[in-house]
Amino acid sequence: MIKLEIDGETVEAEEGSSIIENADRLQIPIPRFCYHHKLSVAANCRMCLVHVENSRKPMPACATPVAEGMKVWTKSKEAVAAQHAVMEFLLVNHPLDCPICDQGGECELQDVAMGYGRDYSRYDEPKRAVIDQNLGPLIATDMTRCIHCTRCVRFGEEISGQREMGATGRGENTEIGTFIEQNVDSEVSANIIDLCPVGALTSKPFRFKARTWEMRQHPGIGTHDCIGANIYLHVHNEQVMRVVPRENERLNEIWLADRDRFSYTAVLHDERIRKPMIRKQDKWHVVSWVEALKYAISGIKLISQKYGAENFGALISPSASVEEQYLLQKLMRGLGINNIDHRLRQVDFRMQEAEPLYPTLGVDFADIEKQQAILVVGGNIPKEHPNLALKLRKAVVQGGSIACINPVAYKFNFDLLAEEITGTLIKSLQQVLDVLEQKSTGTAAVNKIAHMLRDDSGDKLIILGQLALQHPRAAELKALAIRISNITGAKFGFCSNGANAAGAWISGCVPHRMPGGHPTDEIGKHAGEMLEKPLRGYLLYGVEPEFDSVFGNKALTSVSESDFVVAVASYTSESIKQIADVILPIAQLVEMTGNYINVDGIWQELRAVTKPFGESRPGWKVLRVLANMAELEGFDYTDVSQVTDEICEIECAEKFVQNTLSAEPEEINNLKRFAPVSLYAVDGTVRRAGPLQQTADANLEPRICINQNTAKYIGLADGAYASVHSGGYHVKLKVLIDTQVADQVVIINQANRLTNPLPAHLTSVEVKQC
Amino acid sequence: MEINKVCYRALHVPNSWTLDAYQSIGGYKVWRKILQEKTDPNKIIEQLKESGLRGRGGAGFPTATKWTFIKRDMPGQKYVVCNSDEGEPGTFKDRDIMRYNPHQLLEGIAIAGYVMGASVAYNYIRGEYREPIARMEAALAEANAARLLGKDILGSGFDMHIHNVEGAGAYICGEETALLDSLEGKKGLPRFKPPFPAAHGVYGKPTTVNNTETLASVPVILETGKYGNYKIFSVSGHVNKPGNYEVPLGITFRELLDLAGGMLDGKKLKAVIPGGSSAPVLPAEQIMDMPMDFDSLAKAGTMLGSGAVIVLNEDTCMVELLARISDFYMEESCGQCTPCREGTGWMARILHRILHGEGSKEDIDKLDSIASGIMGHTICALGDAAAMPVQSFIKHFRQEFVAKI
């Protein structure tokens, strides 16, 4: 620690820290634009010039390190003169039309100009105008307002690792933009809206919708992945107008994935259900809540009596709140129904008894960046869990190594130490294990991976991605990962699907465990069994079978072949209307109160920020009344917090059996399909978020992605149509030749209208010319 | 008075740019001796210190001191960079060093590399300098072929790989840190200092950046122990014999003007910009008997800069000239930091208005205040370079501005 003086006050400061960091800590205001505590120092806006004793000119507080005995004046004549001069220069070419600017009211330039600007402009010359670029559906541009602070450029270079913005031109013709006019496609792109200190980059969906002072800010959380990024919802007239990040150093820091930021646009989607409905003689009738609930519960009871409880199944979204999940399984189990699951994208349920209490990353999310070595198996992390990818990048930037075993050489936003590109994930992971056990040597990449994991210089981690978790032999992959972690001391984990898979596990929304992870006497059917062969009746809680399950349209068929279906949902759709017998509308994410348990096991509360749409009701209330109507004991809750308390009181099991599966040999005979889910197709909300659906990542028209060797072998050309056959189903899709795909591998997205006819749990496919 | 004794010592030899010609006047003698005797680098630095050699690029920083910033035995790759981007309007001294005496520059660069333990050097040459580039390339090929450069030079075990690099025409790339960015293949933007290039230079490695004239002077200074006070003046403007004159510092302007053949057409001297377009202008009565050296000019409120002496006669319109100069700085501002990006254009626009009779009385003071708003507030010196002419022109020739309004 060293001592210096700021504005006459002696302060202690850490060596190497800058003047502005210390001033910020002491709440001494220094105006700034380019400086941002999460970005590198650019020192280009010159707004933070301060007077340093014995320096012949004012120094930028952001770039000047403190020194012992230094005397800094932030408000001396010299400092203020410099600040006023810079302020004037910044406004020279900036439009002075705050009332028509979307940033007005939350503009750093406007704020600082109040303190450091003149009350009139001395600039009488023509002003600069800059032609706008279209950056896509999320970010609106008004580049005439740009003050060239380069925060957006540095965000791309340093944080997201995707250099999408840059400065072209020189002098006063400097322009910030994409070098060639194109969409900004990064999955975390909209953070540059927050970073932009002026109205140059603003939110396109929110543009001109409301002024900041008209809105009320409510804390919330992102509900589309298991990280649970912290957000603020800005509400005006009972409507969520926008979402901005809420700082949480343990989770999202100050960043948000575009998914969490723009999913609010689906809140008032056309497919929201206004009133409860039942189907009679193939016609839908709007009915009262009482009638609908009665209809639902008597239907469930009837099916269980007629065909036995084992012929009724309940499927719940992994993104429902823990209270909803808990009440659903309590209701079902109260009715004797044990077929309860949330694992809709899982194919391999072997060794489910060996799963831990809830899925984790093996280390705290905040500690990812401290890992020295990370192995990713079967995952395109940036397009699965954007916030995790930012952390992985941080690990690399801080000196860690990342390697992967993947069917595609994905473009990551960080450098890889090694990548094994293969259609046989199990085989490759087995090879890593063999090298570690010194049984044999593998490919160059496999050897490098083994070497990386063997190194003892720091923390190590193995992460399974979505392609591994959806693998038909996922249990073997997990077993291998566990064995490798036992040998090397690496931790092992993954990001589960949905926002609250941890909650689903803890609350007992799995067929083989009761709340708290305790074993059940009667193991029910898992999601795969429930959807592969039709049951007699279903309760779908926030689930759209064809999109939310790995079975695609086949799941829809199974459900539609049953006798009675209760759909508890916020949104309806043509297929829900075809398969359901009763639709119970529940509150959407922003309209409900409940808890989410994230990948670290942290409970985060979501509170209703608007009234439920139409006559929809909070989900927990619907479940409670259904239970009351079924005359079940223990459903006398009057407030959701009583449900929360009840869950919190459950003592959780601690010991589970080990996954000791040994991996069988793996070969590809013909072609092997991998079926990623677009990050904008993961749940019903994001699938209805208009702006997200307009991005490239929504991948609304998926192709058959194969490499040139595979294409040549089959006789396919880029852009041609081909038919894909699997398990008696087939679809016709366009071919995309992608050199990054492994040999004999076919990439076809799931959870998409065009590809849903092809069940994604089958990996063996046949591709033909057509 | 001896003239053209250091960097221009080869001018009298036919085809002076060839290796044979250079060696015929004792070229590479110092270099061979250093390699043979494995001279203690400290001794070389001591000699330079005694000579009083100061950087010839404009700032006048003592060369010997700069060379002590990077120690020979520091681990890792180190670099020497020769700044031949000579872009300051009025300056053309380095051009002729490279045209007529390229080997001496190579020898100087090699010695610098030897002193600081750098085995790679870059000579960053202004892109418009087609003939100098060709001469430097030819000289480099000759020196490499003669094993005077390259790997294990003359069996000494010392390596020195020199590369000529062409700029692309940006004035800002003459600023040493922007030059480093450009050298790395990036857009040339000045870096904030500290860290200085000695700590964080090309590719983040310790780097010494010296001007062409500085480096080319080194062999002669080491050989003779003299001439540390010699400086090339590029005299241009309204004189009879514009050109480069390598003379001792401290020569009066009057003597320099005589060397340059006196005023063109016998017109009266009005003013002189003594150190390149960015240096504050001095009116005739102040400059005539001024000793042309770093300290005297600094005392008079201007600077020696790169030694570009722009001579202006009585017919010169100072408003038009300043508008032209301001256009240049507006054009060449890199656009990175606010005062220069926004201020240079603002000043140029006002000046053009005044020039076209559309100025107002307030404009003159406004110009002065804009210039002080830029002065000292930017990352690099380009802001100051744009501000100083404006302030000095108004200070000494306000009446001409008033007359245009």
Side-chain angles (χ1 to χ4, degrees):
Chain A
M1 295 299 264
I2 54 170
K3 274 188 183 154
L4 74 152
E5 235 178 64
I6 303 181
D7 291 344
E9 213 177 301
T10 305
V11 299
E12 284 212 330
E14 228 169 279
E15 214 164 323
S17 61
S18 64
I19 296 174
I20 210 167
E21 285 172 311
N22 290 291
D24 281 357
R25 187 168 43 82
L26 299 161
Q27 299 192 319
I28 298 167
I30 296 177
R32 84 288 305 268
F33 296 106
C34 70
Y35 173 77
H36 191 282
H37 67 286
K38 288 280 183 191
L39 302 174
S40 68
V41 170
N44 62 30
C45 78
R46 316 306 287 174
M47 194 62 221
C48 69
L49 291 175
V50 292
H51 175 200
V52 176
E53 199 181 59
N54 294 331
S55 162
R56 59 188 180 88
K57 47 186 191 177
M59 302 297 283
C62 65
T64 309
V66 293
E68 182 67 47
M70 185 186 238
K71 283 187 181 170
V72 179
W73 306 94
T74 68
K75 292 171 199 71
S76 69
K77 216 176 117 205
E78 289 86 342
V80 170
Q83 290 157 1
H84 281 193
V86 174
M87 189 70 237
E88 182 171 35
F89 288 129
L90 281 165
L91 294 176
V92 157
N93 275 306
H94 188 87
L96 302 178
D97 55 0
C98 305
I100 62 155
C101 173
D102 201 33
Q103 190 86 352
E106 55 176 348
C107 173
E108 292 176 44
L109 190 69
Q110 196 180 27
D111 293 348
V112 176
M114 289 299 289
Y116 300 85
R118 291 168 191 269
D119 49 5
Y120 67 99
S121 172
R122 291 198 300 165
Y123 186 74
D124 301 324
E125 323 305 321
K127 285 213 177 204
R128 172 174 62 222
V130 179
I131 295 171
D132 279 325
Q133 286 183 323
N134 183 1
L135 300 188
L138 306 180
I139 301 163
T141 55
D142 200 342
M143 296 318 285
T144 301
R145 303 187 186 282
C146 174
I147 57 166
H148 312 92
C149 69
T150 69
R151 282 188 193 174
C152 58
V153 177
R154 283 174 284 149
F155 173 78
E157 284 172 2
E158 296 160 18
I159 307 297
S160 80
Q162 298 164 68
R163 294 177 180 215
E164 293 183 289
M165 305 291 284
T168 53
R170 297 197 310 150
E172 55 177 25
N173 299 318
T174 302
E175 286 182 21
I176 301 288
T178 52
F179 298 96
I180 303 163
E181 181 153 355
Q182 62 185 8
N183 286 3
V184 166
D185 284 337
S186 141
E187 60 289 338
V188 289
S189 67
N191 287 297
I192 61 178
I193 296 170
D194 303 329
L195 288 173
C196 183
V198 296
L201 303 171
T202 53
S203 161
K204 211 173 239 184
F206 171 68
R207 206 167 198 219
F208 302 134
K209 292 272 163 55
R211 285 299 192 184
T212 44
W213 59 85
E214 299 170 329
M215 300 186 288
R216 292 187 65 171
Q217 175 167 283
H218 302 272
I221 54 169
T223 45
H224 310 291
D225 64 36
C226 60
I227 290 146
N230 286 197
I231 60 173
Y232 279 119
L233 298 130
H234 288 177
V235 178
H236 175 49
N237 281 347
E238 283 294 316
Q239 198 183 326
V240 177
M241 304 307 292
R242 67 167 171 187
V243 165
V244 295
R246 175 161 59 100
E247 189 163 359
N248 184 337
E249 274 303 303
R250 288 178 66 180
L251 300 176
N252 51 307
E253 302 183 24
I254 58 163
W255 315 119
L256 265 195
D258 293 351
R259 186 164 63 185
D260 285 332
R261 186 188 298 265
F262 292 110
S263 63
Y264 78 91
T265 52
V267 171
L268 296 178
H269 190 271
D270 289 347
E271 291 181 331
R272 279 303 296 274
I273 314 161
R274 197 170 281 277
K275 289 173 178 177
M277 294 189 287
I278 58 176
R279 181 162 66 179
K280 278 186 177 163
Q281 282 100 40
D282 263 350
K283 277 214 171 118
W284 282 98
H285 303 272
V286 172
V287 294
S288 71
W289 264 105
V290 176
E291 197 179 341
L293 289 163
K294 268 188 187 159
Y295 191 74
I297 198 69
S298 56
I300 299 170
K301 277 179 152 178
L302 191 72
I303 296 289
S304 344
Q305 278 157 17
K306 207 165 157 190
Y307 303 106
E310 70 278 10
N311 267 311
F312 193 91
L315 293 165
I316 185 162
S317 158
S319 294
S321 70
V322 65
E323 289 81 2
E324 291 169 287
Q325 291 168 339
Y326 175 76
L327 288 182
L328 177 81
Q329 65 81 34
K330 192 173 174 186
L331 167 67
M332 287 296 130
R333 291 199 162 109
L335 295 167
I337 297 164
N338 292 310
N339 306 331
I340 306 156
D341 212 343
H342 72 282
R343 299 166 296 173
L344 294 148
R345 292 209 195 279
Q346 195 164 322
V347 179
D348 185 4
F349 294 88
R350 289 177 296 163
M351 298 308 293
Q352 61 177 356
E353 64 279 6
E355 295 293 341
L357 178 64
Y358 61 89
T360 72
L361 269 167
V363 298
D364 272 359
F365 185 71
D367 291 338
I368 299 271
E369 64 188 71
K370 296 179 192 151
Q371 303 299 311
Q372 268 306 306
I374 301 172
L375 171 62
V376 174
V377 182
N380 183 6
I381 305 296
K383 303 296 181 191
E384 292 171 2
H385 293 94
N387 272 307
L388 174 61
L390 294 186
K391 283 282 181 202
L392 291 182
R393 178 176 159 75
K394 243 179 146 178
V396 173
V397 169
Q398 293 176 14
S401 303
I402 300 185
C404 67
I405 301 175
N406 259 336
V408 182
Y410 288 116
K411 208 176 119 201
F412 289 134
N413 49 350
F414 42 82
D415 290 335
L416 292 172
L417 176 79
E419 54 179 349
E420 175 77 353
I421 303 308
T422 172
T424 51
L425 302 180
I426 295 174
K427 191 174 166 186
S428 295
L429 198 56
Q430 176 74 58
Q431 281 172 356
V432 172
L433 179 64
D434 289 346
V435 174
L436 285 166
E437 289 179 335
Q438 294 173 340
K439 283 184 189 161
S440 65
T441 59
T443 62
V446 162
N447 290 337
K448 263 191 179 173
I449 292 167
H451 188 260
M452 173 187 88
L453 291 172
R454 198 187 281 133
D455 193 355
D456 270 334
S457 60
D459 293 341
K460 292 166 283 189
L461 179 64
I462 304 168
I463 298 177
L464 295 192
Q466 292 304 315
L467 297 176
L469 297 172
Q470 289 164 20
H471 199 279
R473 290 163 62 187
E476 288 167 62
L477 279 169
K478 283 183 188 169
L480 280 170
I482 290 167
R483 282 179 67 186
I484 293 172
S485 78
N486 288 343
I487 293 176
T488 59
K491 298 283 193 300
F492 155 65
F494 52 87
C495 274
S496 48
N497 265 315
N500 199 19
W505 279 95
I506 290 172
S507 63
C509 277
V510 280
H512 62 295
R513 281 189 195 162
M514 300 295 285
H518 300 290
T520 152
D521 302 335
E522 275 183 86
I523 296 177
K525 292 190 172 77
H526 56 66
E529 290 168 317
M530 284 191 251
L531 290 171
E532 195 158 22
K533 281 195 189 123
L535 299 175
R536 286 294 182 167
Y538 292 91
L539 187 150
L540 304 177
Y541 196 100
V543 170
E544 294 175 88
E546 77 274 39
F547 287 105
D548 286 327
S549 115
V550 72
F551 294 96
N553 284 359
K554 188 169 190 269
L556 203 58
T557 314
S558 295
V559 176
S560 68
E561 280 172 14
S562 68
D563 296 348
F564 187 73
V565 178
V566 181
V568 186
S570 300
Y571 302 100
T572 179
S573 68
E574 276 312 304
S575 43
I576 289 284
K577 282 189 170 166
Q578 272 168 27
I579 58 172
D581 293 278
V582 50
I583 299 177
L584 305 175
I586 52 167
Q588 212 267 354
L589 293 158
V590 303
E591 303 159 352
M592 53 168 269
T593 297
N595 279 279
Y596 282 77
I597 306 174
N598 82 349
V599 72
D600 283 347
I602 299 171
W603 287 59
Q604 300 195 100
E605 194 185 31
L606 200 65
R607 292 199 80 87
V609 299
T610 66
K611 281 190 214 132
F613 178 81
E615 285 182 21
S616 51
R617 293 277 181 272
W620 74 272
K621 280 191 183 170
V622 173
L623 293 166
R624 182 203 63 191
V625 180
L626 282 172
N628 295 152
M629 285 179 165
E631 294 174 355
L632 296 179
E633 297 278 317
F635 282 88
D636 305 322
Y637 313 102
T638 53
D639 191 278
V640 68
S641 63
Q642 293 167 316
V643 187
T644 320
D645 293 344
E646 191 171 314
I647 305 167
C648 287
E649 276 162 26
I650 298 167
E651 230 166 85
C652 291
E654 280 166 8
K655 279 226 157 105
F656 302 95
V657 296
Q658 273 280 323
N659 179 350
T660 50
L661 267 186
S662 50
E664 297 294 318
E666 187 191 32
E667 295 299 334
I668 306 182
N669 297 324
N670 188 11
L671 291 175
K672 187 164 192 174
R673 175 195 177 187
F674 285 87
V677 181
S678 151
L679 80 161
Y680 300 141
V682 292
D683 60 47
T685 306
V686 293
R687 285 195 295 269
R688 288 176 176 83
L692 293 178
Q693 292 307 310
Q694 291 165 32
T695 62
D697 278 336
N699 196 7
L700 293 182
E701 285 180 27
R703 312 275 183 101
I704 311 169
C705 302
I706 46 176
N707 74 13
Q708 61 288 358
N709 301 337
T710 315
K712 200 173 164 194
Y713 174 73
I714 309 169
L716 289 174
D718 194 54
Y721 278 91
S723 62
V724 192
H725 299 254
S726 184
Y729 303 90
H730 71 98
V731 291
K732 207 172 116 181
L733 294 169
K734 236 182 187 175
V735 176
L736 177 73
I737 294 185
D738 181 349
T739 54
Q740 304 303 307
V741 178
D743 280 341
Q744 289 180 283
V745 164
V746 181
I747 305 288
I748 303 170
N749 270 39
Q750 59 169 311
N752 174 279
R753 220 165 280 284
L754 298 180
T755 63
N756 274 346
L758 215 59
H761 70 293
L762 301 169
T763 56
S764 172
V765 293
E766 204 183 331
V767 182
K768 292 179 192 162
Q769 286 174 295
C770 69
Chain B
M1 179 173 47
E2 289 183 311
I3 69 164
N4 298 344
K5 282 291 169 194
V6 190
C7 297
Y8 291 155
R9 66 168 162 159
L11 284 182
H12 62 283
V13 188
N15 296 332
S16 61
W17 50 88
T18 60
L19 180 60
D20 288 346
Y22 183 56
Q23 288 189 325
S24 75
I25 55 163
Y28 287 116
K29 220 166 77 186
V30 179
W31 180 226
R32 285 175 198 276
K33 193 171 158 224
I34 288 172
L35 290 174
Q36 208 173 16
E37 294 177 1
K38 304 227 176 338
T39 314
D40 179 6
N42 291 323
K43 217 177 122 194
I44 298 173
I45 289 175
E46 206 48 51
Q47 269 178 281
L48 285 179
K49 203 175 203 171
E50 278 166 26
S51 77
L53 180 64
R54 290 171 72 173
R56 300 297 191 229
F61 191 82
T63 307
T65 313
K66 198 181 233 183
W67 284 18
T68 58
F69 293 157
I70 297 179
K71 297 277 179 279
R72 194 164 205 269
D73 46 8
M74 264 161 57
Q77 181 67 52
K78 286 158 280 181
Y79 295 98
V80 169
V81 171
C82 174
N83 185 348
S84 302
D85 192 55
E86 196 168 50
E88 181 76 12
T91 318
F92 40 84
K93 61 189 179 66
D94 299 338
R95 183 186 65 187
D96 283 356
I97 296 174
M98 291 187 283
R99 279 165 84 196
Y100 298 116
N101 202 6
H103 280 289
Q104 190 168 318
L105 175 58
L106 292 176
E107 188 177 0
I109 295 173
I111 294 169
Y114 175 85
V115 170
M116 283 164 282
S119 57
V120 177
Y122 298 101
N123 182 25
Y124 186 96
I125 312 170
R126 177 175 172 167
E128 293 92 331
Y129 278 2
R130 302 319 301 171
E131 193 189 20
I133 289 168
R135 292 266 166 91
M136 282 310 304
E137 281 290 277
L140 185 60
E142 276 184 312
N144 279 329
R147 311 295 296 273
L148 287 161
L149 297 173
K151 218 174 156 50
D152 188 18
I153 304 168
L154 304 174
S156 65
F158 183 73
D159 301 344
M160 184 70 225
H161 304 278
I162 301 180
H163 305 276
N164 292 314
V165 181
E166 289 179 38
Y171 170 70
I172 194 63
C173 292
E175 196 282 336
E176 61 175 2
T177 56
L179 185 153
L180 297 180
D181 264 19
S182 172
L183 201 52
E184 290 176 5
K186 301 173 190 156
K187 182 172 161 184
L189 301 180
R191 303 174 180 173
F192 181 76
K193 293 185 277 192
F196 290 92
H200 189 96
V202 197
Y203 311 119
K205 301 290 182 196
T207 303
T208 300
V209 187
N210 281 126
N211 173 253
T212 313
E213 186 188 345
T214 316
L215 287 168
S217 303
V218 168
V220 175
I221 291 172
L222 294 182
E223 189 188 332
T224 62
K226 295 196 290 186
Y227 302 121
N229 66 331
Y230 264 61
K231 170 86 192 83
I232 305 171
F233 288 94
S234 307
V235 184
S236 64
H238 303 133
V239 292
N240 278 316
K241 278 165 59 189
N244 286 314
Y245 298 92
E246 190 171 40
V247 295
L249 284 166
I251 178 180
T252 62
F253 173 71
R254 193 184 297 276
E255 290 172 283
L256 190 60
L257 187 59
D258 281 347
L259 274 176
M263 293 299 292
L264 185 66
D265 300 333
K267 290 258 166 84
K268 237 176 97 189
L269 178 71
K270 183 181 205 171
V272 173
I273 305 176
S277 65
S278 59
V281 68
L282 282 184
E285 59 275 18
Q286 282 187 33
I287 188 83
M288 218 31 164
D289 294 304
M290 176 78 66
M292 301 293 281
D293 60 49
F294 289 103
D295 300 329
S296 308
L297 286 166
K299 228 181 191 171
T302 179
M303 58 192 198
L304 182 72
S306 56
V309 180
I310 303 169
V311 180
L312 308 166
N313 72 13
E314 54 192 333
D315 296 342
T316 313
C317 171
M318 296 309 273
V319 180
E320 195 178 347
L321 177 60
L322 184 59
R324 181 67 196 85
I325 291 175
S326 290
D327 276 349
F328 176 80
Y329 288 108
M330 170 177 76
E331 200 63 42
E332 295 298 343
S333 165
C334 81
Q336 183 182 201
C337 64
T338 310
C340 172
R341 179 183 65 237
E342 307 294 350
T344 50
W346 191 2
M347 292 192 303
R349 287 198 176 82
I350 293 178
L351 281 163
H352 279 280
R353 262 202 298 108
I354 296 175
L355 190 61
H356 292 101
E358 291 159 16
S360 66
K361 247 166 109 186
E362 295 76 43
D363 280 339
I364 302 173
D365 287 335
K366 201 196 273 182
L367 267 176
D368 199 43
S369 117
I370 297 168
S372 12
I374 301 173
M375 194 76 193
H377 294 163
T378 52
I379 291 178
C380 79
L382 195 144
D384 295 358
M388 285 186 295
V390 173
Q391 290 179 322
S392 65
F393 273 57
I394 292 175
K395 183 175 159 199
H396 296 298
F397 301 97
R398 179 179 275 267
Q399 272 318 309
E400 288 195 34
F401 290 82
V402 174
K404 286 273 180 197
I405 288 165

